[in-house]
Amino acid sequence: MELKIASQEQLKFIKKLYLSAFPPEERKPFALILRQRAKGLLQVFTAMDEGEPVGFAITAVSDSLILLDYLAVSDVFRNRGYGSEILKALAVYYHNTPMFLEIETPDAHAPNQAERLARKSFYLRNGYYETGISVLLWGVKMEILSTSKQLTYEECDSIYSRIYGIMHDKIVRRI
């Protein structure tokens, strides 16, 4: 598996997978992702295996911290270790700079509780830690996991402020 900065041609695959992999309430408009990418606020990667795209990752970068904004593997290639390989490739690409991400907060009453727990377990198995930090992001309660045991909300918020600008207060709220 190889992780590459996405080409224009690969964005069609990424958009299709993005729309199918994430529920509407967790998705930014894809046009916003492309604008943020063009401004250098986000990086979009394609995971390739034998010339075929298998997944993608979208990150936001600061000097000392990386936000793994989105990660998805195509249904056809799930449960083959590609997600773990993408995480390892990102760690190498970013020279082990600490990373964080948001997952839906586990909730016994949620219809997708099993999926939420499986997602959390996946990241914990792959070197992420619980931070005790929760945010309301795009109106969805999210838990923050990180590769750093010392991550603070202020560090996360510096990236949120950078990528959301004047819209920050309408998109992100610590809970």
Side-chain angles (χ1 to χ4, degrees):
M1 197 266 336
E2 183 180 14
L3 192 67
K4 301 173 152 188
I5 297 291
S7 68
Q8 278 301 122
E9 300 79 41
Q10 293 164 341
L11 289 176
K12 186 176 180 180
F13 161 81
I14 291 169
K15 181 179 181 181
K16 183 178 179 182
L17 178 54
Y18 174 75
L19 294 173
S20 68
F22 297 96
E25 63 272 10
E26 291 183 30
R27 293 191 306 244
K28 295 177 192 166
F30 200 73
L32 176 61
I33 290 172
L34 296 179
R35 282 194 306 273
Q36 289 177 326
R37 175 183 180 239
K39 291 178 182 178
L41 298 173
L42 295 179
Q43 290 188 295
V44 180
F45 297 89
T46 308
M48 305 288 291
D49 194 5
E50 297 182 12
E52 188 170 0
V54 297
F56 74 87
I58 299 174
T59 61
V61 181
S62 76
D63 292 335
S64 59
L65 188 63
I66 310 297
L67 165 62
L68 177 53
D69 209 7
Y70 294 97
L71 169 74
V73 174
S74 173
D75 286 343
V76 176
F77 297 100
R78 283 210 187 116
N79 299 315
R80 296 187 194 176
Y82 287 111
S84 296
E85 287 188 48
I86 292 170
L87 292 175
K88 288 175 189 164
L90 286 169
V92 169
Y93 183 86
Y94 290 119
H95 309 289
N96 291 311
T97 299
M99 299 181 77
F100 78 98
L101 55 87
E102 311 99 0
I103 59 169
E104 287 178 297
T105 302
D107 176 355
H109 303 292
N112 67 339
Q113 173 68 346
E115 184 180 297
R116 291 178 185 204
L117 291 172
R119 187 175 298 114
K120 184 173 183 175
S121 176
F122 165 76
Y123 287 113
L124 293 176
R125 282 192 318 273
N126 279 282
Y128 283 74
Y129 302 96
E130 294 178 296
T131 65
I133 303 168
S134 294
V135 295
L136 199 60
L137 188 62
W138 297 94
V140 178
K141 188 175 180 184
M142 306 292 269
E143 175 181 344
I144 293 179
L145 303 179
S146 176
T147 59
S148 169
K149 291 181 180 180
Q150 288 81 33
L151 182 74
T152 67
Y153 174 75
E154 290 72 25
E155 290 172 302
C156 300
D157 200 47
S158 70
I159 289 184
Y160 292 142
S161 293
R162 186 169 168 252
I163 62 176
Y164 296 126
I166 61 171
M167 296 298 295
H168 170 274
D169 292 345
K170 293 181 181 186
I171 296 169
V172 182
R173 187 170 53 115
R174 185 175 187 178
I175 49 176

